[in-house]
Amino acid sequence: MGTPTFQPAKPRRAFEEIISQIRGMVRSGELRTGDRLPAERALAEQFEVSRNTVREALRMLEISGLIQLRRGATGGAFISAADPGRVAASMSDMLELGHFSLSDLRDARGWIESIVVRVACERADDAMLERLEANISHAETLSEAGDWERKALVHVEFHNLLAEATGNPVMVAMMKSLMEVMRDLVLAVGPTEDDMVLRSRRRFMKYLWARDSTKAVKEMQSSLEQLHQLWLDADYKGSRAAPS
């Protein structure tokens, strides 16, 4: 693609307009993942602002995850790929700082998972169902080896696969962000050293293969509630500490 050309920024709102124009080009497809923005000096000339104004706008875009700033001879400002991890990190911080509770997280997760399960029951093909079965088999192998942490992380990945089964990229991104938070939480409180989740997964898959969304949602919700209560009580084999 050619070098993008920007319009002069209005002096009274230059900072915001620089961000707005770059975001607009990303939304329109004129700028795509991996594209390099013009050099700082060139941007300052096009926007008709100081280099400091451009620099601050780029820093804000980097914080938001829209661009990546690289140093060196081949460096510059590059349009970033979507990174659910940034959302997850923010959510983890909010949980840690008490801006929402573990119960809030459980409720939001339950609502999202219910939609995912219902859509997966409709859309998942046999190949996706086999991938879910393979995930469970992998978790079983880790359980037999007593590798509880890795087993817990495989359980977390199960939910990402379910989201993929919906065929909706927005739902996939939302689930990945949520599961990054759950991953951090599980490692913090300690994974359960039993096969409670595995047993639930087997029942769940029976309903998923049968396309019985009502029973599949009920099984998933029951499993989430049971885990939530275990984490609150912090009274299970493998527990490290009760979440605040």
Side-chain angles (χ1 to χ4, degrees):
M1 61 166 290
T3 301
T5 301
F6 298 96
Q7 300 300 312
K10 298 176 182 178
R12 296 182 64 180
R13 46 190 292 267
F15 180 83
E16 293 85 355
E17 186 157 331
I18 291 169
I19 293 174
S20 176
Q21 286 195 39
I22 293 174
R23 285 188 182 279
M25 285 191 170
V26 172
R27 284 195 295 268
S28 69
E30 190 171 347
L31 285 172
R32 300 179 182 276
T33 299
D35 286 347
R36 181 178 181 175
L37 294 177
E40 195 176 276
R41 184 187 300 276
L43 286 173
E45 291 175 355
Q46 291 184 45
F47 286 120
E48 297 183 1
V49 297
S50 70
R51 291 180 66 177
N52 282 338
T53 300
V54 170
R55 192 173 298 123
E56 289 304 312
L58 293 180
R59 285 174 181 166
M60 288 301 296
L61 287 168
E62 182 183 36
I63 291 171
S64 71
L66 189 70
I67 69 170
Q68 180 184 22
L69 298 178
R70 304 175 192 167
R71 296 184 178 180
T74 59
F78 296 83
I79 304 300
S80 297
D83 183 8
R86 287 182 177 270
V87 178
S90 177
M91 290 175 63
S92 292
D93 289 343
M94 291 175 70
L95 179 61
E96 183 71 21
L97 294 171
H99 293 303
F100 58 77
S101 68
L102 190 59
S103 294
D104 293 329
L105 185 61
R106 172 207 57 194
D107 290 344
R109 184 183 175 190
W111 298 329
I112 293 172
E113 295 259 17
S114 293
I115 296 171
V116 167
V117 170
R118 290 187 186 282
V119 178
C121 276
E122 296 176 3
R123 298 186 177 181
D125 57 18
D126 287 356
M128 176 55 74
L129 294 178
E130 291 294 350
R131 289 177 66 191
L132 290 164
E133 292 282 9
N135 173 279
I136 297 172
S137 296
H138 187 194
E140 286 177 334
T141 299
L142 294 171
S143 179
E144 291 169 1
D147 194 340
W148 307 113
E149 275 199 2
R150 288 181 62 197
K151 184 201 74 168
L153 297 182
V154 170
H155 282 329
V156 169
E157 183 59 24
F158 183 88
H159 299 278
N160 287 329
L161 290 174
L162 266 181
E164 283 187 40
T166 68
N168 186 300
V170 176
M171 194 62 74
V172 171
M174 289 175 61
M175 185 64 78
K176 283 184 177 179
S177 295
L178 188 56
M179 287 303 107
E180 283 289 328
V181 177
M182 297 309 303
R183 177 185 182 279
D184 291 344
L185 178 62
V186 167
L187 294 179
V189 302
T192 58
E193 297 183 7
D194 59 37
D195 290 335
M196 175 189 73
V197 175
L198 278 172
R199 291 191 293 272
S200 176
R201 288 280 193 273
R202 286 302 183 195
R203 292 191 294 269
F204 175 82
M205 287 305 301
K206 180 179 67 174
Y207 303 136
L208 200 61
W209 279 104
R211 312 294 177 173
D212 190 333
S213 61
T214 299
K215 289 184 178 179
V217 167
K218 184 177 180 180
E219 182 61 43
M220 180 63 74
Q221 294 286 11
S222 176
S223 178
L224 296 182
E225 287 287 347
Q226 194 171 2
L227 277 173
H228 174 74
Q229 193 59 51
L230 284 176
W231 290 337
L232 286 181
D233 295 341
D235 184 22
Y236 60 89
K237 189 177 181 182
S239 174
R240 290 172 183 154
S244 59

